[in-house]
Amino acid sequence: MKHLRLAFSAVSLAALTVALVPAHAQGVIKIGEVNSYKAQPAFLEPYKKGMELAVDEINAKGGIDGKKVELVMRDDNANPGDAVRMAEELVSREKVDILTGAFLSNTGLALADFAKQKKFFYLAGEPLTDKMTWQGGNQYTFRLRPGTYMQAAMLVPEAAKLKKKRWALVYPNYEYGQSAVAAFKQLLKAAQPDVEFVAEQATPLGKVDAGSVVQALADAKPDAIFNVLFAADLSKFVREGNTRGLFKGRTVVSVLTGEPEYMDPLKDEAPDGWIVTGYPWYGIKTAEHKAFLDAYQAKFKDYPRLGSVVGYSMIHSAAAGIAKAKSTEPDKLVAAFKGLQVDSPFGKITYRAEDHQSTMGAFVGKTKNDGGKGVMVDYVYYDGADARFQPPAAEIKKSRAAD
């Protein structure tokens, strides 16, 4: 009887263990998110809210095949080494099912390499360098936002219409800035062969010496300026440029400046007439965007930023990919994401099989100082599926030869 009682206890304990552990493991899909929350709060606080809204919507509808979605987030301190360490912790200790995130291009590339080495699925929301999906692309990495080539290709036709010969360039001296400038120079030179690049100011990320930069650009006497600075660097550049008259009589073409994350802090210093990519949330009239805007404002009592759209669309993409794959196994996710279609606030997007890049587009327009607040006007949405904004398929295939 004693042996029977012990056997029964062992069986009961085993049954209890089986009942408890798989209930958690099988009932939850963990998304491991790595990002530079402390270093880049202007973009990533709204991004986090966008993710949270998407998780709420997915779970309110029963999750993914009955499994609830859970976010497990880590801060990478804007450091590629820390990003990899956080990813390793999420995969090994937290047992996440997929990885998402990265804001800075250098941390994104570090996570992409981690995904390649570990054969683990990674969905990059924000890193814009073309190496994410082209020169450094790999089987396990997909990206949501249009990269630097795509955004430059959307801006160059407007830049070429200016018929300005002498251009100056200013950008943060790391992967994203270098990639954006390389794409702009290549595409503008092709559209306008007589163009000259007369000055190039590559500044330390987050540490721009705006006075010296503005003076150096002014000394070069350019006809127009291509700007890639963002966040606090952008604010300092605009302030010094306004003070020293750099922008008088010169057109500025600028990546990202139309995003409210970076436009709003400029307040009454917001420039007029810059040609920019951005997010005019206040003027988008589509049904998809209205549904997102209403839900976001109801939950957060605030208006969305572009980060909100990216975080929201990234989580919905992850959910759609897992549902299509009916699995979180990396190779099955890779297969499911090739050609995956997802509804977003900007309309339906597709993850291209050839380079794992989504067809999410961007708004291009002009800045306006509207009573002390910067807004976008005369804007149009360019669909990322448009062949004008991508290199030829053969070129993409060649760039990914190492994959």
Side-chain angles (χ1 to χ4, degrees), residues 369-392:
N369 190 319
D370 187 9
K373 180 178 177 61
V375 296
M376 276 183 77
V377 296
D378 302 331
Y379 50 81
V380 63
Y381 180 73
Y382 288 125
D383 190 338
D386 191 319
R388 292 177 299 167
F389 310 133
Q390 309 162 27

Side-chain angles (χ1 to χ4, degrees), residues 28-34 64 69-73 86-87 90-91 94-101 111 114-115 119-124 140 142 314-323 325 327-334 337 340:
V28 175
I29 290 175
K30 286 187 174 184
I31 298 177
E33 158 71 18
V34 181
I64 305 172
V69 174
E70 175 185 318
L71 285 175
V72 186
M73 295 183 285
M86 292 301 100
L90 288 170
V91 172
E94 297 291 344
K95 307 297 183 185
V96 298
D97 295 292
I98 69 169
L99 283 173
T100 62
L111 290 176
F114 173 86
K119 296 181 170 56
F120 199 85
F121 186 87
Y122 167 47
L123 175 58
Y140 295 96
F142 287 73
M314 184 185 69
I315 296 301
H316 273 295
S317 294
I322 293 169
S327 172
T328 56
E329 292 181 23
D331 288 329
K332 291 182 179 179
L333 283 172
V334 168
F337 258 80
L340 177 70

Side-chain angles (χ1 to χ4, degrees), residues 81 100 120 144 152 167 170-171 177 206 209 219 230 242 260 294-296 327 370 374-375:
T100 62
F120 199 85
L144 174 63
W167 282 80
V170 56
Y171 58 97
D209 182 351
D219 289 346
F230 62 95
N242 286 338
D294 290 347
Y296 191 92
S327 172
D370 187 9
V375 296

Side-chain angles (χ1 to χ4, degrees), residues 61-124:
K61 293 180 179 179
I64 305 172
D65 292 334
K67 300 176 183 179
K68 296 292 186 182
V69 174
E70 175 185 318
L71 285 175
V72 186
M73 295 183 285
R74 293 290 186 273
D75 197 296
D76 60 25
N77 298 309
N79 181 284
D82 286 351
V84 172
R85 282 189 285 275
M86 292 301 100
E88 184 65 61
E89 178 182 312
L90 288 170
V91 172
S92 301
R93 187 184 305 172
E94 297 291 344
K95 307 297 183 185
V96 298
D97 295 292
I98 69 169
L99 283 173
T100 62
F103 175 83
L104 299 173
S105 288
N106 52 354
T107 58
L109 289 175
L111 290 176
D113 186 63
F114 173 86
K116 179 180 180 180
Q117 300 301 325
K118 298 292 184 178
K119 296 181 170 56
F120 199 85
F121 186 87
Y122 167 47
L123 175 58

